[in-house]
Amino acid sequence: MNPVIAQKNEILSLVNQAMIDFESITEEAWNDKPVPSKWSKKELLGHLIDSASNNIRRLIVGQYEQGVKIVYHQDEWVLYQNYQETDITEVKTLWKLMNYQISRVIENIPEEKLQNNCDTGKGQTALHTLSYFIEDYVVHLKYHLNQITA
């Protein structure tokens, strides 16, 4: 199987399983911030929404604009979107839909575009291929889903 299609399928599988796993997390557990400077489970899920959003942009713009600079400031995104005060049902739904969308985007990238790159460096150049972003997205998704469901 094409590695990109396999990664798309893995994202969908992770999302579908997570939506089941999320049902056993209480409202209190979603909102709990044992340390004020750390994200709650709800904010972690919000961070995954932001990650999907930024990666969708990279994967689309990177197909037609080589080396475009798309920097993501994760703390600001989580703070300004105020996930902590948002209903968890909305956050879960948005996360699920964003992952369905990134899966569609991934599935439709022509193979010859996968080596195009974007610059994600904060203050310096950090070029990565679209293929890298797809692989890294899956790793990142698994990492934070483990934090949420642990």
Side-chain angles (χ1 to χ4, degrees), residues 16-114:
N16 292 334
Q17 184 58 54
M19 291 302 289
I20 293 166
D21 296 343
F22 290 167
E23 293 306 310
S24 65
I25 302 174
T26 66
E27 183 80 22
E28 181 181 33
W30 277 111
N31 289 311
D32 185 48
K33 288 178 71 99
V35 178
S37 62
K38 296 286 185 188
W39 290 337
S40 66
K41 289 178 186 292
K42 190 190 294 185
E43 288 171 315
L44 278 170
L45 193 60
H47 165 66
L48 288 176
I49 293 167
D50 300 341
S51 174
S53 179
N54 278 273
N55 279 291
I56 287 168
R57 183 157 188 259
R58 291 169 180 159
L59 294 172
I60 291 172
V61 177
Q63 290 182 63
Y64 63 82
E65 193 173 327
Q66 277 280 47
V68 63
K69 191 163 200 69
I70 301 175
V71 178
Y72 167 40
H73 297 274
Q74 64 184 21
D75 293 325
E76 290 82 353
W77 276 65
V78 169
L79 176 66
Y80 297 148
Q81 298 221 52
N82 197 22
Y83 292 114
Q84 188 66 16
E85 301 305 320
T86 305
D87 182 272
I88 188 55
T89 303
E90 290 181 27
V91 179
K92 290 189 291 189
T93 301
L94 181 55
W95 175 76
K96 175 182 163 183
L97 294 174
M98 290 297 291
N99 277 282
Y100 284 7
Q101 183 62 24
I102 198 169
S103 296
R104 277 190 291 279
V105 170
I106 288 168
E107 183 175 45
N108 288 294
I109 298 173
E111 190 172 341
E112 66 272 11
K113 300 280 189 179
L114 289 170

Side-chain angles (χ1 to χ4, degrees), residues 120-133:
T120 60
K122 295 176 185 172
Q124 77 280 355
T125 300
L127 291 174
H128 298 288
T129 65
L130 302 188
S131 182
Y132 167 86
F133 290 124

Side-chain angles (χ1 to χ4, degrees), residues 14 39 44 47-48 136-150:
L14 287 166
W39 290 337
L44 278 170
H47 165 66
L48 288 176
D136 186 61
Y137 183 79
V138 174
V139 170
H140 183 252
L141 186 59
K142 287 179 180 177
Y143 175 77
H144 286 304
L145 285 176
N146 284 336
Q147 288 181 309
I148 292 168
T149 59

